[in-house]
């Protein structure tokens, strides 16, 4: 019996869909075989876009071939089913069938098809946001396409001299690397695929290269925005120029892909290239360089293709993309539910209605959910809340039918909440907000799969959901009775706690393991002399909430918009850092004091509070609250001060063992890491010697002895409650660029540190205090400050002591020595020990051994205590 291969469009790099057909010239006995008839009928339904009918027939054929023990045909039918489920977006079923196909080809000893189907499975994993699994299948853990591990797709393709399989595997590897944020790796793999010059993949490869350069350009733009916020205009300009260069490269690849698709009459790839060109052409950086007539021609061509292409999921999304297309002059706000001007305002409604119809004909609940939801959003922007809610409810139902559509379900629950809110229905609005957040919590790990672009997009697309709900709740408080108002405040705080957990997991990536504490643990943590301040920044005002012992939480508002708050905070921070100003100007510090502390000062005094713990939001994370000023003195002169990302993430344990041992690591020499030179720290050696004298039995690793391997070996061998690291540390908006400088011009990333501490043989709580005495975050970079705020939580220690900016190591030695001396006294908490050390520098003129200039807040204010303050 002969098996023919029927060629159809596949989702990934492969374009051959293997369908075994018995045609008229086959022996007559074969014509009566039921499997043959079911396969052929399935092909006809597949070609007509009737995927569910095709599946039913192929399932029957599969059972027949399994009964007749025809393993070759069984493998082929499973391939067909896998691709069809993939077309429908039912990725769990698709992955299950790919795994079965791979097992079939292993049993058959067909290495070429084994390699190709490993690539297909890898593409499925990439589609579901699991690029690291894809990379492991394609090339292995090393992920280097020049040296792939045995039995991976790329290795098999090369050893079997399968050029087609090699081109497909390289292209898939490039796409997987793109999802992990490895742009250079993605571009290298895609260019290698292009050199094989297999015509089946050239169009797709060119398109993928365009996508890679586009994503790299977006990454550079985000760096530019971060630099702009910090006031670093030159760096912002440099990053923006790099972004423009990347966009120009992308434009060239998309144009090549389009021309090749036109010549080969490959309409699906033609549509893909057109959409990418149109979206890129409407970017403000690139649009001035393009002719408007050319852009309009691409748009007309895409609209024409919509009516010519057969139904498919990609066609649904193409219609949605065209409906949502925005002019280049549009100002993008960071809200998921923005209502910007549309490029095709008169056609948007009909395009979305067409998308709904196609998805329904396909019986594809996932794409139907997006189409219905976007149509609901269209009516929301028209203030037609009745129709908007009708389509939004339908989108919710469609998403609920498919577990793979849960990433759209939270969007439509959120959309429903806004619509109920607009209609004045608070009960339904709150219920919908709660469902949206619960759904998002369930899928967050899958949605934020360490894709660095998605990590940045978190604040723009997901973060607003929590803020919208919290703002809606808090703005209702003053209109509610006291008991109900407290319940509403508590609910809003839980919402923001959930957001802070999500922010930290997002910043540190999908390997960040954070488990919130129970309410009992939180209550044990907070003493009778401690007050908790929380801030929540909204667009038009900021909520400050104070929780005192055995008292209801109080709410006050800072009635300024977030941009003015940001500018005020940055002005305060810059003023603190200016050591050259012999006389410190406290006015910015007084403004913040008046906003945050003064409204509550009577209550703080009445409650006998001596410790303030701040759980800050956004840009407020980037400043030391110790330096707020009441007009006469700094805040730290009255209170001990600590900070925590969230009370529910703060370790309730604290050290009780009186025999403290320190593992002290330091760098004294000048170092160069990532092209950046860090100055020598000449006082570090004496700083560490002071620790050895204070804590007998301690150990020091200095300069070349300070390595990741030595650190890990020491922690595995001996329990050190205190880990003190005196070296340059850089906290960046990107976790990969956050590191500590070690000996031999090497670096220790946050990930390295977390892995080392958490994997101790003695357990994750062996380290009570982690001190980092030469860290720095840039002014205005609240994302970098998020990394610093989460250092204790992520590394698994109880408490971290770190600096917000770099100061000369001579003053650091003075403050740190004083801190440890204070903490070694019985009954002194970590927060009190730090406040006493800072007060001593503030009063430097009273201590002959301390340089008077250290009274300036530039020298003592940057040190903050994070986590357990006891």
């Amino acid at each position: 019996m002969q098996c023919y291969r029927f060629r159809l469009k596949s989702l990934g790099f492969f374009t051959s869909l293997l369908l075994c057909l018995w045609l008229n010239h086959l022996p007559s006995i074969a014509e009566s075989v039921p499997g043959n008839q079911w396969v052929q009928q399935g092909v006809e339904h597949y070609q007509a876009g009737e995927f569910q009918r095709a599946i039913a027939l192929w399932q029957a054929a599969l059972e027949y071939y399994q009964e007749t023990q025809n393993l070759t045909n069984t493998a082929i039918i499973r391939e067909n089913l896998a691709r069809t489920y993939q077309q429908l977006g039912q990725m769990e079923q698709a992955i299950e069938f790919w795994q079965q196909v791979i097992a079939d080809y292993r049993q058959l000893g067909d290495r070429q098809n084994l390699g190709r189907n490993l690539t297909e499975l890898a593409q499925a994993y990439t589609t579901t946001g699991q690029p690291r699994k894809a990379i492991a299948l394609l090339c292995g853990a090393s992920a280097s396409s020049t040296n792939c591990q045995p039995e991976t797709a790329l290795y098999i393709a090369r050893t079997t001299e399968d050029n087609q399989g090699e081109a497909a595997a390289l292209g898939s590897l490039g796409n997987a690397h793109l999802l992990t944020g490895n742009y250079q790796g993605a571009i290298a793999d895609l260019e290698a695929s292009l050199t094989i010059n297999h015509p089946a993949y050239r169009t797709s490869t060119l398109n993928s290269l365009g996508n890679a350069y586009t994503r790299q350009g977006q990454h550079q733009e985000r760096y530019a925005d971060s630099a702009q916020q910090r006031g670093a205009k030159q760096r912002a300009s440099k990053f923006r120029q790099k972004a423009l260069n990347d966009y120009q490269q992308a434009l060239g690849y998309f144009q090549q892909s389009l021309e090749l698709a036109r010549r080969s009459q490959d309409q699906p790839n033609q549509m893909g290239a057109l959409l990418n060109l149109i979206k890129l052409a409407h970017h403000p950086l690139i649009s001035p360089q393009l002719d408007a007539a050319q852009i309009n021609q691409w748009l007309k061509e895409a609209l024409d293709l919509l009516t010519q292409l057969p139904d498919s999921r990609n066609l649904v999304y193409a219609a949605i993309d065209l409906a949502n297309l925005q002019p280049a002059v549009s100002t993008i706000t960071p809200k998921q539910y923005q209502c910007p001007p549309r490029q095709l305002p008169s056609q948007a409604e009909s395009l979305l209605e067409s998308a709904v119809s196609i998805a329904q004909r396909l019986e594809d609940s996932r794409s139907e959910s997006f189409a219905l939801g976007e149509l609901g959003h269209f009516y929301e922007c028209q203030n037609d809340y009745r129709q908007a809610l009708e389509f939004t409810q339908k989108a919710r139902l469609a998403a609920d039918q498919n577990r793979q559509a849960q990433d759209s379900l939270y969007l439509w629950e959120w959309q429903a909440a806004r619509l109920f809110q607009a209609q004045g229905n608070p009960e339904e609005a709150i219920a919908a907000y709660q469902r949206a957040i619960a759904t998002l919590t369930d899928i967050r790990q899958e949605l934020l799969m360490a894709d660095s672009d998605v990590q940045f997009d978190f604040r723009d697309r997901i973060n607003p959901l929590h803020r919208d709900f919290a703002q809606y709740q808090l703005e209702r408080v003053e209109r509610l009775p006291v008991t109900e108002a407290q319940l509403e405040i508590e609910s809003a705080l839980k919402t923001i706690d959930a957001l802070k957990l999500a922010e930290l997991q997002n910043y540190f990536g999908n390997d960040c393991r954070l488990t919130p504490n129970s309410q009992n643990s939180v209550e044990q943590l907070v003493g009778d002399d401690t007050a908790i301040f929380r801030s929540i920044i909204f667009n038009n005002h900021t909520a400050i909430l104070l929780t005192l012992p055995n008292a209801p939480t109080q709410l006050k508002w800072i009635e300024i918009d977030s941009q003015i708050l940001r500018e005020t905070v940055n002005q305060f921070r810059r003023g603190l850092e200016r050591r050259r100003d012999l006389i410190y100007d406290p006015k910015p510090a007084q403004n913040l004091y008046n906003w945050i502390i003064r409204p509550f000062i009577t209550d703080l005094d009445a409650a006998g509070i001596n410790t303030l713990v701040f759980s800050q939001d956004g840009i407020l994370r980037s400043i030391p609250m110790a330096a707020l000023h009441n007009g006469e003195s700094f805040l730290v002169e009255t209170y001990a001060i600590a900070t925590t990302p969230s009370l529910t993430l703060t370790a309730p344990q604290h050290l009780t063992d009186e025999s403290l041992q320190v593992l002290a690591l330091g760098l004294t020499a000048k170092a160069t890491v990532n092209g950046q030179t860090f100055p020598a720290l000449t006082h570090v050696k004496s700083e560490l010697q002071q620790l050895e004298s204070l804590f007998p039995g301690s150990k020091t690793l200095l300069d070349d002895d300070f390595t990741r391997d030595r650190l890990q070996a020491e922690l595995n061998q001996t329990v050190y409650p205190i880990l003190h690291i005196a070296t340059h540390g850089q906290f960046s908006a990107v976790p990969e660029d956050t590191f500590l400088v070690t000996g031999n011009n090497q670096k220790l990333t946050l990930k390295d540190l977390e892995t080392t501490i958490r994997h101790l043989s003695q357990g994750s709580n062996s380290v009570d205090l982690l001190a980092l005495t030469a860290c720095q975050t840039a002014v205005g970079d609240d994302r970098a400050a998020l990394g610093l705020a989460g250092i204790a939580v992520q590394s698994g220690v109880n408490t971290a002591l770190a600096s917000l900016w770099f100061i000369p190591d001579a003053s650091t030695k003075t403050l740190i020595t004083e801190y440890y001396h204070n903490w070694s006294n019985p009954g002194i908490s970590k927060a009190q020990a730090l406040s006493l050390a800072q007060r001593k520098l503030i009063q430097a003129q009273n201590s002959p051994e301390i340089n008077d200039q250290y009274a300036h807040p530039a020298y003592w204010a940057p040190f903050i205590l994070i986590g357990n303050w006891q």
Side-chain angles (χ1 to χ4, degrees):
M1 186 179 297
Q2 188 175 1
C3 183
Y4 289 85
R5 298 176 185 266
F6 193 91
R7 304 178 79 80
L8 290 174
K9 174 70 178 168
S10 168
L11 286 178
F13 268 73
F14 280 111
T15 55
S16 61
L17 175 58
L18 307 183
L19 301 174
C20 192
L21 302 177
W22 288 264
L23 303 179
N24 292 333
H25 65 276
L26 293 177
S28 58
I29 189 172
E31 295 174 4
S32 63
V33 172
N36 169 39
Q37 299 167 15
W38 294 327
V39 170
Q40 187 165 354
Q41 290 169 16
V43 171
E44 293 166 2
H45 286 300
Y46 183 97
Q47 290 174 314
E50 298 168 348
F51 298 135
Q52 296 292 355
R53 293 185 178 183
I55 285 172
L57 288 161
W58 289 337
Q59 286 282 13
L62 178 61
E63 291 176 12
Y64 174 80
Y65 291 129
Q66 286 175 313
E67 289 174 3
T68 58
Q69 298 183 346
N70 188 327
L71 188 55
T72 299
N73 290 345
T74 295
I76 292 171
I77 295 300
R78 281 175 170 157
E79 283 189 71
N80 302 338
L81 286 165
R83 283 199 188 85
T84 309
Y85 278 120
Q86 202 162 332
Q87 284 276 22
L88 289 171
Q90 298 178 28
M91 299 306 299
E92 284 186 356
Q93 294 93 325
I95 287 171
E96 184 178 345
F97 274 111
W98 287 128
Q99 290 169 337
Q100 293 172 1
V101 170
I102 288 167
D104 290 339
Y105 282 124
R106 278 205 175 99
Q107 187 174 343
L108 287 166
D110 186 341
R111 287 182 57 73
Q112 184 179 90
N113 273 316
L114 171 62
R116 292 184 177 192
N117 281 279
L118 284 169
T119 297
E120 294 276 18
L121 177 58
Q123 290 172 168
Y125 279 133
T126 300
T127 301
T128 56
Q130 301 178 76
R132 300 191 189 284
K133 281 189 176 181
I135 291 168
L137 286 171
L138 291 163
C139 191
S142 68
S144 170
S145 60
T146 57
N147 187 28
C148 291
Q149 295 175 359
E151 297 310 298
T152 57
L154 198 48
Y155 178 89
I156 292 171
R158 285 168 174 163
T159 55
T160 58
E161 298 183 355
D162 178 12
N163 287 343
Q164 182 176 352
E166 183 179 0
L170 281 167
S172 297
L173 186 60
N175 284 339
H177 277 146
L178 184 56
L179 273 188
T180 66
N182 181 2
Y183 306 111
Q184 289 302 311
I187 289 168
D189 292 332
L190 290 164
E191 287 177 342
S193 178
L194 204 61
T195 60
I196 296 175
N197 202 27
H198 198 286
Y201 310 128
R202 189 168 183 80
T203 306
S204 296
T205 307
L206 289 166
N207 200 50
S208 291
L209 273 166
N211 284 327
Y213 275 106
T214 299
R215 296 280 287 278
Q216 185 168 264
Q218 291 169 343
H219 204 62
Q220 297 293 345
E221 270 201 281
R222 291 181 179 109
Y223 277 133
D225 291 342
S226 179
Q228 192 75 38
Q229 284 185 347
R230 302 194 305 266
K233 294 182 179 179
Q234 272 192 324
R235 287 183 65 78
S237 176
K238 177 182 175 182
F239 284 129
R240 225 169 285 286
Q241 183 58 51
K242 287 183 177 180
L244 177 59
N245 294 341
D246 285 330
Y247 290 146
Q248 289 171 333
Q249 286 271 61
L251 191 70
Y253 280 121
F254 288 145
Q255 288 174 315
Q256 291 180 54
S257 180
L258 176 61
E259 290 306 314
L260 190 58
R262 282 171 174 164
R263 288 200 301 270
S264 59
Q265 298 184 337
D266 180 355
Q267 289 184 323
N269 272 323
Q270 190 177 341
M271 173 63 90
L274 282 167
L275 286 173
N276 284 327
L277 277 169
I278 293 164
K279 285 185 279 189
L280 183 57
H282 285 84
H283 190 287
L285 276 181
I286 204 78
S287 61
Q289 304 186 22
L290 293 173
D291 179 49
Q294 175 65 80
I295 299 174
N296 289 333
Q297 176 58 39
W298 288 334
L299 191 55
K300 180 180 181 302
E301 192 175 342
L303 290 169
D304 289 343
L305 272 177
L306 273 179
T307 63
Q308 300 172 28
L309 284 166
D311 288 351
S312 70
R313 168 182 280 196
N314 287 341
L315 195 64
V316 176
Y317 295 138
I320 293 173
D321 282 346
L322 289 169
N324 290 335
L325 190 65
Q326 299 165 20
V329 295
S330 145
T331 300
I332 305 302
T333 68
K335 297 257 185 177
Q336 166 68 21
Y337 55 84
Q338 61 184 323
C339 291
R342 298 176 187 266
Q343 179 70 14
L344 302 169
S346 62
Q347 296 170 267
E349 186 175 9
S350 62
L351 283 166
L352 292 171
E353 288 173 342
S354 175
V356 170
S357 298
I358 297 168
Q360 289 174 341
R361 288 197 297 271
L362 291 171
E363 300 179 39
D364 179 1
S365 58
R366 177 175 168 77
S367 63
E368 183 185 1
S369 167
F370 277 104
L372 287 165
E374 290 291 349
L375 190 54
H377 179 51
F378 172 83
Y379 288 118
E380 179 187 12
C381 291
Q382 306 300 313
N383 297 325
D384 185 346
Y385 300 129
R386 183 190 61 79
Q387 282 212 85
L389 192 55
E390 178 183 338
F391 282 105
T392 301
Q393 300 285 34
K394 290 179 179 178
R396 289 166 61 187
L397 289 172
D400 221 10
Q401 294 174 20
N402 183 351
R403 208 174 78 85
Q404 293 294 329
Q406 297 297 295
D407 59 336
S408 67
L409 179 59
Y410 89 90
L411 291 174
W412 315 137
E413 294 286 13
W414 180 10
Q415 190 161 285
R418 300 194 304 271
L419 293 168
F420 285 128
Q421 186 177 341
Q423 291 179 330
N425 190 339
E427 290 78 13
E428 290 285 0
I430 288 172
Y433 271 125
Q434 289 171 336
R435 290 194 300 269
I437 289 174
T439 302
L440 181 59
T441 301
D442 288 342
I443 66 166
R444 187 171 61 238
Q445 284 299 104
E446 298 174 21
L447 194 63
L448 305 175
M449 279 292 177
D451 175 355
S452 58
D453 284 333
V454 175
Q455 286 179 322
F456 269 104
D457 288 342
F458 176 86
R459 292 179 298 180
D460 301 338
R461 298 179 62 82
I462 297 170
N463 182 310
L465 165 59
H466 295 78
R467 295 191 185 279
D468 286 351
F469 186 28
Q471 183 172 7
Y472 181 56
Q473 291 176 297
L474 292 178
E475 288 177 350
R476 296 177 68 237
V477 164
E478 63 183 19
R479 301 191 298 273
L480 296 173
V482 175
T483 303
E484 291 183 32
Q486 267 311 295
L487 292 174
E488 203 76 350
I489 288 175
E490 289 173 12
S491 178
L493 288 175
K494 287 181 181 177
T495 300
I496 293 302
D497 268 345
L499 171 61
K500 289 179 177 178
L501 173 65
E503 283 180 322
L504 287 171
Q505 288 181 316
N506 168 244
Y507 178 86
F508 289 108
N510 69 321
D511 292 330
C512 179
R513 295 161 289 184
L514 303 179
T515 304
N517 298 322
S518 66
Q519 184 59 36
N520 287 338
S521 297
V522 172
E523 290 172 359
Q524 292 172 15
L525 182 66
V526 181
D528 292 336
D529 59 356
T530 302
I532 309 298
F533 276 88
R534 298 175 178 93
S535 58
I536 311 172
I537 300 173
F538 304 114
N539 281 340
N540 299 321
H541 52 187
T542 294
I544 304 295
L545 298 108
L546 170 66
T547 303
L548 294 170
N550 306 311
T553 298
Q554 301 179 49
L555 167 65
K556 303 290 184 183
W557 292 95
I558 302 176
E559 295 295 348
I560 60 172
D561 68 45
S562 58
Q563 188 55 41
I564 293 176
L565 178 66
R566 173 177 285 277
E567 290 168 1
T568 305
V569 166
N570 287 343
Q571 179 189 12
F572 168 59
R573 166 78 184 260
R574 291 190 185 98
L576 289 176
E577 291 190 47
R578 282 199 294 269
R579 300 194 306 271
R580 64 180 180 275
D581 295 346
L582 298 179
I583 300 176
Y584 173 66
D585 178 9
K587 288 181 182 177
Q590 290 171 9
N591 287 337
L592 288 170
Y593 180 93
N594 291 336
W595 289 343
I596 299 171
I597 305 298
R598 193 173 295 282
F600 304 102
I601 197 66
T602 301
D603 300 292
L604 292 171
D605 291 343
I609 298 300
N610 61 37
T611 300
L612 304 182
V613 178
F614 292 89
S615 181
Q616 298 287 43
D617 186 27
I619 192 63
L620 289 171
R621 288 187 293 249
S622 69
I623 54 173
M625 304 309 290
L628 297 192
H629 202 276
N630 65 7
E632 296 179 359
S633 62
F634 292 103
L635 189 63
V636 74
E637 294 183 80
T638 307
Y639 303 100
I641 293 172
T643 184
T644 178
S646 166
L647 286 178
T648 60
L649 296 175
T650 303
Q653 304 93 344
H654 60 94
L655 199 64
T656 57
D657 188 352
E658 295 181 359
S659 60
L660 300 179
Q661 283 185 298
V662 179
L663 176 60
L665 305 98
L667 185 71
T668 63
K670 183 171 71 172
T672 301
V673 176
N674 289 359
Q676 182 177 354
T677 300
F678 297 89
L681 299 170
T682 54
H683 289 82
V684 160
K685 186 173 182 179
S686 59
E687 175 184 329
L688 302 190
Q689 287 172 342
Q690 290 278 357
L691 292 183
E692 285 187 311
S693 64
L694 275 172
F695 303 106
S698 300
K699 184 163 187 176
T700 297
L701 300 176
L702 197 64
D703 292 331
D704 290 350
D705 289 330
F706 173 19
T707 66
R708 181 180 62 180
D709 291 342
R710 286 293 305 275
L711 169 63
Q712 186 170 0
E714 284 296 332
L715 291 177
N716 280 326
Q717 181 178 339
T718 306
V719 175
Y720 290 100
I722 302 172
L723 180 58
H724 183 97
I725 305 178
T727 184
H728 292 283
Q730 174 176 291
F731 282 78
S732 166
V734 182
E736 293 79 5
D737 291 338
T738 295
F739 58 85
L740 305 175
V741 180
T742 65
N744 296 315
N745 295 313
Q746 298 299 306
K747 65 180 181 180
L748 182 73
T749 66
L750 265 190
K751 178 64 179 174
D752 294 333
L753 186 63
E754 183 266 342
T755 301
T756 299
I757 294 176
R758 281 194 181 272
H759 292 180
L760 298 180
S761 58
Q762 293 85 4
S764 63
N765 290 319
S766 295
V767 177
D768 183 61
L769 175 69
L770 168 65
L772 306 171
T773 63
C775 297
Q776 55 187 338
T777 62
V779 175
D781 193 342
D782 56 313
R783 185 168 171 81
L786 176 67
L788 184 59
I791 182 67
V793 173
Q794 170 66 358
S795 62
V797 302
N798 293 333
T799 312
L801 173 64
S803 61
L804 285 165
W805 60 84
F806 174 72
I807 58 175
D809 57 325
S811 60
T812 297
K813 171 194 168 185
T814 301
L815 186 141
I816 289 298
T817 302
E818 188 67 22
Y819 168 78
Y820 282 116
H821 175 77
N822 295 334
W823 187 36
S824 64
N825 292 323
I828 300 294
S829 71
K830 296 168 188 169
Q832 290 168 337
L834 178 59
S835 68
L836 290 170
Q838 291 174 315
R839 291 172 198 175
K840 188 156 186 176
L841 265 66
I842 293 171
Q843 299 161 6
Q845 69 274 12
N846 299 328
S847 302
E849 73 275 14
I850 300 178
N851 189 321
D852 283 357
Q853 69 179 347
Y854 294 169
H856 193 292
Y859 293 93
W860 55 261
F863 288 96
I864 60 174
L865 197 72
I866 307 162
N868 189 307
W869 59 89
Q870 294 175 340

